[in-house]
Amino acid sequence: MTPDAASAGGLPVPAANDALPPWLRRLAFWSAASALAAVVPVPFLDEHLVRVTRRSMVRELARERGLVLRESEVVWLAGVRRRFDWGCAIALVVALTVKTAFLLVRRLFRSIFFWLAIKDASNTASFTFHEGFLLRQALADLEAGASMPSEAPQTTPRAEVLRLRAVVERVVAEVDPRPLRQAFRGALRGSTWLLRATARRLKRLLLGVREEEAAARTLEDMVPSTLVERLGRALLAQSAYLEYLTRRMVQALAEPAEAPPPPPATSAPVTAGANQQNEASEQPEQDEERR
């Protein structure tokens, strides 16, 4: 374990030559699950599974700290919330039309479009990991400042949930995610066949399943351990970046609280959140790929 992050007040981060700790393996699992969800070839099922993955991750992180979250707070901390209005309905119809056309064209250019799907999956996995990693630190900070006995479940104040969400969003927007995106992309490119086969099985098992618990259980059983190990090794190789993330989150938590934003909504596709993580970095990354 590297002492730098812990000495700054954050949770310890494993060194590159350490064994993969259980907490980091679980974050690698949620990252792998969201990557798989992003490549499921069914409109809206992929976005639904990404939402299920992120909400399940939030619940597990809260349980580890003995914290009790209301369902609405789980949704807010996961960064996605369902909302319906006419504008949302029109957007859904347009998105369904575009996605259907995309899937038809993809059948003609399967290899090219799956390469693009790998890019989207790595961005989604990176975004899920960043949020899970930072939220774990935020919940540890919340637990440390709680006045209730540690052996009793602690109900988190709603204002604190909104504040933590605002801090996580601010740090995610500030950091440059390209090192981790590229590491994940390399790991996923080495697992192309595994991604395709698992995504097809998920489609058969979960098409038409609306119960979130059932979908979460299926994801828990279906994510290949090989994929989790590859993402875990990619994370260990980025130990310096993880230390930087920890230090930045500790600093952000110590800064004066800003007015929390309203809870996020999912009127836009949920995977778009991965592309909004430091949009300024997209153009240099594209130029690098063209070279």
Side-chain angles (χ1 to χ4, degrees):
M1 296 287 183
T2 56
D4 295 348
S7 63
L11 296 172
V13 173
N17 57 350
D18 286 349
L20 191 64
W23 66 266
L24 192 57
R25 184 184 300 275
R26 286 303 292 174
L27 289 180
F29 166 82
W30 295 119
S31 302
S34 63
L36 277 170
V39 298
V40 170
V42 179
F44 302 112
L45 178 59
D46 53 352
E47 296 164 14
H48 170 67
L49 292 179
V50 172
R51 287 193 293 267
V52 168
T53 298
R54 291 180 182 166
R55 289 197 286 259
S56 299
M57 178 179 70
V58 169
R59 293 188 189 99
E60 181 174 283
L61 291 173
R63 283 196 304 269
E64 288 177 357
R65 297 293 164 186
L67 300 172
V68 177
L69 297 175
R70 304 174 184 88
E71 188 59 27
S72 61
E73 293 167 346
V74 170
V75 173
W76 292 345
L77 285 176
V80 290
R81 182 169 67 93
R82 293 182 180 178
R83 181 182 66 188
F84 183 84
D85 53 33
W86 284 110
C88 179
I90 294 172
L92 289 176
V93 171
V94 172
L96 179 59
T97 303
V98 171
K99 279 204 165 191
T100 302
F102 172 82
L103 290 173
L104 291 175
V105 175
R106 193 180 67 174
R107 289 183 177 275
L108 301 176
F109 303 98
R110 185 177 299 272
S111 60
I112 296 175
F113 277 93
F114 200 80
W115 180 86
L116 295 176
I118 290 289
K119 184 175 185 295
D120 185 48
S122 62
N123 290 351
T124 303
S126 170
F127 188 75
T128 298
F129 174 80
H130 278 84
E131 295 227 331
F133 185 86
L134 296 173
L135 182 59
R136 180 175 179 267
Q137 178 65 60
L139 292 175
D141 182 81
L142 179 64
E143 180 194 31
S147 58
M148 295 181 65
S150 59
E151 60 270 12
Q154 301 165 16
T155 301
T156 309
R158 187 173 299 243
E160 272 299 291
V161 171
L162 290 176
R163 184 185 74 85
L164 292 182
R165 179 65 205 171
V167 172
V168 169
E169 286 182 351
R170 185 165 76 249
V171 175
V172 167
E174 290 174 358
V175 301
D176 182 359
R178 281 178 294 170
L180 197 55
R181 283 183 183 177
Q182 291 169 357
F184 276 179
R185 194 170 303 163
L188 293 177
R189 282 175 180 168
S191 308
T192 300
W193 180 87
L194 189 60
L195 276 174
R196 280 179 168 173
T198 309
R200 285 196 296 266
R201 292 182 63 193
L202 280 174
K203 180 187 72 172
R204 290 195 300 268
L205 291 172
L206 293 177
L207 191 60
V209 175
R210 305 303 300 171
E211 184 185 350
E212 185 164 322
E213 288 187 8
R217 286 194 301 269
T218 302
L219 280 169
E220 187 78 35
D221 295 336
M222 291 290 297
V223 175
S225 59
T226 303
L227 185 59
V228 176
E229 287 293 330
R230 287 177 180 173
L231 293 188
R233 287 196 297 270
L235 289 171
L236 284 177
Q238 298 292 324
S239 58
Y241 179 68
L242 300 186
E243 289 178 6
Y244 163 72
L245 277 181
T246 301
R247 290 193 301 270
R248 182 65 196 97
M249 189 61 181
V250 171
Q251 293 169 0
L253 288 169
E255 292 169 359
E258 300 178 358
T266 56
S267 54
V270 71
T271 51
N275 298 324
Q276 294 168 1
Q277 181 193 37
N278 193 9
E279 291 180 354
S281 68
E282 282 297 326
Q283 189 60 44
E285 187 175 346
Q286 293 171 3
D287 294 340
E288 180 182 339
E289 288 180 354
R290 281 196 292 269
R291 290 197 294 269

